[in-house]
Amino acid sequence: NVDPLEPYMKEGEDIGGCLAGNGAVTVRRSVHGYKKLSLITRVELSRTEISLPPMEFDTFGFWIDTDASALNASVRSYDDGVHALSHAILAVAPLFVPCADSDLNCDHSYYDCTRVVIFDMRAGGSGSCAQLWKFLFVPDGLMDAVIDLLEDCSTCKYDRGYDGGCPACLHFSQCLKFNQNLSKSAALTIAKHVLSRLKKTELYKANEVAAKSVQSPPRKKKAAGFGSPRRAARTRALRRATDLQPARERQIVVGRASWPADQSNGVGRTQVQAD
């Protein structure tokens, strides 16, 4: 379970409430038991209940409202779709911020889901989630990458009859539900709906205008004598040969400090290690 502590909300325009927010969250994990499976058939052999105190820590995270009131009745396997959408966000996160599987995690609940929650795995926050949040309300940002992944996964794009994704798109190594209860098609529908709501916000519109106003830097003019790659390589070779000519005249071997002294016409050459 992940509960927000100090939410910082981003209100959208004409979307009927809060769309996304970020801030401090409390992550609480409880272990209720374990089960034994056969190593050969994977059939459940036994199940044992245990009672342990919950593991709890405060960290930084952000959450996205999935508009459950509008989609829950119309989208098949809606809860599985929210779970899959959380995994998809984690899958594309390294495209925007430097992070690994152990740096970020999500809420893996799949009962009565109303939002996606992404948080740092380190107590107090590691900064990865805060950086990832900046790519939510921007064109060609986080949700666009999620939609591209769900639509064009090269591994399971043409699979028919299976909607649980694959290790290339949805499967997450740190999933507490062992990558079960995932729906790729439902996640795609929810992601497109979330993106359409993001585009209606003032923050997204402002970032879109700013992105269009940024001009590409002017191209640097090519230096004289470097009209083609072959000519550039030839020019560098000539420059290197010019630098080595004085060394030959002084009987100096450049760059072979570990070799024995060379003999040229009976005259020993002084060895100097190149920088």
Side-chain angles (χ1 to χ4, degrees):
N1 297 325
V2 183
D3 299 323
L5 285 181
E6 301 174 0
Y8 173 70
M9 301 300 184
K10 291 293 183 181
E11 296 291 343
E13 181 184 11
D14 298 331
I15 57 176
C18 175
L19 174 58
N22 70 89
V25 298
T26 297
V27 180
R28 185 182 300 107
R29 289 182 176 178
S30 301
V31 179
H32 304 285
Y34 65 91
K35 58 183 178 180
K36 295 181 180 180
L37 304 178
S38 172
L39 295 177
I40 301 176
T41 61
R42 309 302 295 174
V43 175
E44 182 177 340
L45 301 178
S46 63
R47 181 174 298 190
T48 305
E49 294 184 1
I50 57 178
S51 178
L52 294 175
M55 298 176 290
E56 183 175 323
F57 63 92
D58 296 336
T59 185
F60 184 88
F62 69 86
W63 49 94
I64 306 171
D65 178 58
T66 55
D67 201 6
S69 59
L71 297 180
N72 197 0
S74 58
V75 177
R76 184 179 180 182
S77 303
Y78 172 79
D79 293 336
D80 295 348
V82 175
H83 187 201
L85 179 59
S86 302
H87 281 207
I89 293 177
L90 296 176
V92 301
L95 299 177
F96 301 94
V97 297
C99 62
D101 288 349
S102 58
D103 295 329
L104 297 173
N105 210 325
C106 66
D107 185 6
H108 297 281
S109 303
Y110 52 87
Y111 291 110
D112 298 329
C113 298
T114 59
R115 62 189 176 186
V116 171
V117 183
I118 308 295
F119 56 89
D120 290 323
M121 282 297 294
R122 180 175 298 180
S126 61
S128 299
C129 201
Q131 296 181 33
L132 189 62
W133 161 260
K134 299 178 182 179
F135 294 95
L136 185 60
F137 289 87
V138 296
D140 297 328
L142 185 62
M143 295 309 300
D144 294 277
V146 168
I147 294 174
D148 292 341
L149 175 66
L150 295 174
E151 287 182 337
D152 299 323
C153 177
S154 58
T155 305
C156 62
K157 179 179 180 180
Y158 300 103
D159 288 349
R160 304 300 180 187
Y162 177 69
D163 199 31
C166 67
C169 57
L170 293 184
H171 291 186
F172 181 56
S173 61
Q174 306 292 332
C175 180
L176 301 179
K177 307 300 181 182
F178 305 102
N179 293 308
Q180 297 178 356
N181 300 96
L182 298 172
S183 177
K184 186 177 179 180
S185 59
L188 180 59
T189 303
I190 298 172
K192 290 182 178 180
H193 182 73
V194 170
L195 181 60
S196 65
R197 299 179 71 201
L198 288 174
K199 291 182 178 180
K200 297 179 182 179
T201 62
E202 292 294 337
L203 182 58
Y204 188 97
K205 294 177 181 178
N207 290 331
E208 188 175 19
V209 172
K212 292 181 180 179
S213 62
V214 175
Q215 298 180 357
S216 58
R219 294 184 178 180
K220 296 182 179 180
K221 295 183 179 180
K222 295 182 179 180
F226 287 83
S228 64
R230 180 177 297 179
R231 178 175 296 180
R234 185 164 59 247
T235 303
R236 288 193 297 268
L238 290 174
R239 186 184 300 113
R240 179 175 176 81
T242 303
D243 295 338
L244 291 177
Q245 185 62 31
R248 293 195 185 100
E249 295 176 356
R250 294 194 300 268
Q251 300 293 321
I252 296 176
V253 179
V254 180
R256 300 194 301 182
S258 61
W259 287 20
D262 293 342
Q263 298 292 332
S264 177
N265 297 328
V267 180
R269 293 184 177 180
T270 306
Q271 295 190 10
V272 178
Q273 184 175 1
D275 294 334

